[in-house]
Amino acid sequence: MSPHASDPTRRAVLGGAAGLTVAAIAGCGPGQAAEQTDEGPFTVAAADIPVGGGKVFKDRATVVTQPNPGEFHAFSAKCTHRGCLVRDIAKGKILCPCHGSAFAVADGSVVLGPAEQPLAARTVTVAGAELRIS
């Protein structure tokens, strides 16, 4: 056996480097990157959206908010920094778990970076006790 038999082969080193590069490009941890979702129109009960906060519809990549009673807004749930899905809403902010960006529930504007662009607005139509998001 040669003195270098335990040294990694060039192929092993390059394979490992390729794997690390793919992980770095992803930008988000496991389960945090935006998954393929249905962003088409859908309806929700207005009563399901708390005043002063909102609700994230992960399967629709949408967040619906109600900053004031009867005032509804909807935004893409994809963070404008790296595309991770926002996860929580607390104290008037929509929070991204990946890098700490936060957005205002009232208009989707950035209140804390690293994101620099607001969340993309979606249309909310109130129809009685239902909200149609498109």
Side-chain angles (χ1 to χ4, degrees), residues 46-57 63-75 88-95 103-108 131:
D48 290 345
I49 311 303
V51 175
K55 185 173 179 180
V56 178
F57 295 89
V63 57
V64 180
T65 66
Q66 185 178 192
N68 300 301
E71 177 187 345
F72 297 97
H73 301 281
F75 310 98
D88 299 308
I89 300 170
K91 299 180 182 178
K93 297 180 185 100
I94 303 164
L95 308 172
F103 304 87
V105 296
D107 60 7
L131 305 174

Side-chain angles (χ1 to χ4, degrees), residues 1 15 19 33 39 49 54 62 71 73 81-82 87 89 97 101 120-121 127-128:
M1 188 177 261
E39 295 183 37
I49 311 303
T62 300
E71 177 187 345
H73 301 281
H81 175 240
R82 296 281 180 153
R87 184 178 298 160
I89 300 170
S101 292

Side-chain angles (χ1 to χ4, degrees), residues 9-39:
T9 65
R10 182 172 187 257
R11 181 175 293 179
V13 170
L14 290 175
L20 290 174
T21 300
V22 169
I25 290 172
C28 299
Q32 293 177 334
E35 300 165 3
Q36 186 169 359
T37 55
D38 180 2
E39 295 183 37

